[in-house]
Amino acid sequence: MTLTEKLLARAAGKARVQPGDNLWVKADVLMTHDVCGPGTIGVFHREFGKDAKVWDRNKVVIIPDHYIFTADSLSNRNVDILRQFVRQQGIPYFYDVIDDPDGSWKFDAAQGNLKRQYGAQYAGVCHTALPAKGHTRPGEVLLGTDSHTCMAGAFNQFATGIGNTDAGFVLGTGKLLLKVPETMRFRLEGRMQPGVMAKDLILHVIGEIGFDGATYRAMQFDGPGVASLSMDDRMTVANMAIEAGGKNAIFPFDARTAEYVDARTRLNGTKSSYEPVEADAGEQFVFEMVVDLDKLEPTVACHPDPGRRKKARELGGMKLDRAYVGSCTGGKTSDFVEFARVLRGRKVVIDTFGVPATPDIVRDLQGTFWSGRTIWQHLLDAGVQMTENAGCAACLGGPVDTFGRINKAGIKCISATNRNFPGRMGNKESEVYLASPATVAASALTGCVTDPRDLLSG
Amino acid sequence: MSASFTGKVFVVGDNIDTDQIIPAQFLNLVPTIAVEYERLGSHAMAGLPTGLYSVPFVKPSALDSEYGILVAGRNFGCGSSREHAPIALGSAGCRVVLAEGFARIFFRNCVSTGELYPCELLSRLCDSVSTGDEATVDLDAATLRLHHTDTVYSFKPLGEVRPVVDAGGLFNYARNSGMIAR
């Protein structure tokens, strides 16, 4: 069996499964957020009763992150709905925006959107926060009301996005009927060259198979090249399985996985035991492809879908209006470090926005010094508009007052986020080009799509 | 549950993602709150670029759509897991989407909510029908008949998912069939 098949078999209590089997799978963690949580809670109460209790309060993780720093009153209310539910249920893992468990959340627009407006427990973007707060463990099943839940496949677990109704069902029963997907294998060899990032790897793969090329399928990334990828790299790759239509992505377990997970579960006091899955001999794949990491180049996915792959060099000269770094896939510390390495000592020539995924990442950037100045300061010096209000922000547009949102037609934005469908970052007549943080930085410096190697080597 | 629907067709192309079905700015609406469910319908398909789609799916200031049948190309409903997408279409009065292919989570959400019948076409239809055409969808026969040409197109029978949508979604189905307690 493949990694995904073994995981699902275990979670369903079966010795053997094959693609196409429908299984009742036990969830180890159910995650929800402010956009889908209130609807999920609504389904749960409607179907199980207003006094119903969730199946296991220690397995529900609630992370407000989408529409937080907005004056939109319905969005502020949605965070309050989560807080009331958490109180009623006694759920321990709730990463609230505010510190007062009896309070209500209201964004203060008068303070502007750059200075932090959250309390001590706020965790930022759910997919980045889940591993950092010790909620991803090898061998487990993670279900989340967000399509990018597949990011946790980096940790050798089965993780997939589900809707509110399915999530309401899981809240009440702890299980869900899932079909075992066929597995596509991407065998990684070699290692990436300087200036090339994990985002280039996944954009290359999506370009190869097409942006519905993995629909209903698992994407397994394995081979000797995996060892050279950091956990951040693996998260970037797994995050975008959904952009090829994938049900989940999965990486093998290795020493790096163990080191990360052990450190984060110990620090946060979350469950620390886990049982990784290993590949069997004789795995059956529906598709196999070898990716030579050495040969990858800075890659861009052109408007309007993540499968429109071009090399950054092929697009040289295409003028841009805006640059953006942030989101689950592109707003991690390592993403901002590469972004800053390219920008350091230079000035951007187009509007450039930076939104760290989590408050921990804000702290990393504000507490790490390069030649006496923090990375944060270097980014400000380069002309980047950096916000401390970590979250999903303009990656998905959001309410009109969202930081970095594209509110004008005709804007071309290069972005380290994960989607570029029409209107994804705001105005539906704008265009988004997906690229690595290094390529976004190089392009922000020239105002045109630019291969970062041209600047790093200079 | 009625096995056939007659109504006007709304036609879209390939890769219509959930942002085009319900733009992210309207995700502040909670589908289980009745008044917000209604409002979601008023914004259905509001993310389609106006340059490509001159006719809106829902007229300005209307709550519902005049189109009960949606015809699409490949990969309909790709992108986010937001259940708001099938709910917006259902709330607007759409009952059936016929596409060459569906993204996985959207398909599942159609069935779980019971809002829409997601029917997979056997051939490309979005180039041969036009928005505003009158048609009848027959779920038993798995056909769509275009009235003005009297042409009949087949789609894949819904199979196991049909009774779930008929029942009004996952919970009703599970109760009716004894999978969970009433």
Side-chain angles (χ1 to χ4, degrees), chain A residues 47 67 77 164-166 211, chain B residues 15 24 36 46 83 108 175:
Chain A
E47 301 295 342
Y67 300 168
R77 172 207 65 182
N164 296 355
T165 300
D166 281 343
F211 86 131
Chain B
N15 306 324
E36 296 183 24
E83 200 165 279
R108 186 168 177 123
R175 289 207 171 86

Side-chain angles (χ1 to χ4, degrees), chain B residues 25-43:
Chain B
Q25 71 198 85
F26 305 119
L27 301 186
N28 58 357
L29 300 169
V30 175
T32 47
I33 298 173
V35 57
E36 296 183 24
Y37 173 89
E38 283 303 321
R39 282 177 61 194
L40 277 167
S42 73
H43 301 300

Side-chain angles (χ1 to χ4, degrees), chain A residues 66 146-148 243 303-304 327-328 392-398 405-406 417-432 434, chain B residues 17-20 24-25 27 47 79-80 82:
Chain A
H66 274 61
D146 191 289
S147 60
H148 293 114
E243 309 318 332
H303 174 83
S327 81
C328 41
C392 300
C395 170
L396 79 161
R405 187 180 193 272
I406 301 176
T417 53
N418 43 31
R419 287 205 176 121
N420 60 345
F421 300 117
R424 171 67 180 179
M425 294 184 73
N427 188 290
K428 62 186 181 181
E429 315 292 343
S430 62
E431 297 186 1
V432 177
L434 304 176
Chain B
D17 80 302
T18 51
D19 280 288
Q20 295 179 77
Q25 71 198 85
L27 301 186
S80 110
R82 65 187 72 155

Side-chain angles (χ1 to χ4, degrees), chain B:
Chain B
M1 190 57 63
S2 169
S4 78
F5 305 98
T6 294
K8 279 192 193 173
V9 178
F10 191 86
V11 183
V12 294
D14 294 327
N15 306 324
I16 300 300
D17 80 302
T18 51
D19 280 288
Q20 295 179 77
I21 299 170
I22 183 76
Q25 71 198 85
F26 305 119
L27 301 186
N28 58 357
L29 300 169
V30 175
T32 47
I33 298 173
V35 57
E36 296 183 24
Y37 173 89
E38 283 303 321
R39 282 177 61 194
L40 277 167
S42 73
H43 301 300
M45 306 302 279
L48 291 174
T50 35
L52 294 173
Y53 298 92
S54 51
V55 180
F57 182 67
V58 182
K59 281 189 183 145
S61 80
L63 276 181
D64 291 330
S65 173
E66 59 193 287
Y67 305 97
I69 300 165
L70 196 61
V71 169
R74 282 172 58 190
N75 205 24
F76 187 81
C78 57
S80 110
S81 64
R82 65 187 72 155
E83 200 165 279
H84 309 67
I87 286 175
L89 291 171
S91 167
C94 185
R95 289 302 290 143
V96 53
V97 182
L98 301 113
E100 277 176 84
F102 290 92
R104 183 188 66 83
I105 308 176
F106 178 86
F107 183 91
R108 186 168 177 123
N109 286 343
C110 288
V111 178
S112 295
T113 58
E115 289 282 348
L116 290 171
Y117 291 95
C119 303
E120 225 173 293
L121 290 162
L122 297 170
S123 60
R124 190 169 179 84
L125 193 54
C126 61
D127 298 331
S128 33
V129 299
S130 305
T131 291
D133 288 352
E134 289 275 343
T136 298
V137 172
D138 184 331
L139 294 175
D140 289 336
T143 56
L144 173 137
R145 185 173 66 84
L146 266 186
H147 293 188
H148 72 286
T149 57
D150 205 26
T151 325
V152 175
Y153 302 91
S154 294
F155 53 86
K156 268 200 215 165
L158 278 160
E160 288 170 304
V161 307
R162 165 96 187 266
V164 186
V165 184
D166 282 346
L170 172 69
F171 280 95
N172 287 349
Y173 176 77
R175 289 207 171 86
N176 293 348
S177 56
M179 286 162 76
I180 57 173
R182 277 179 183 269

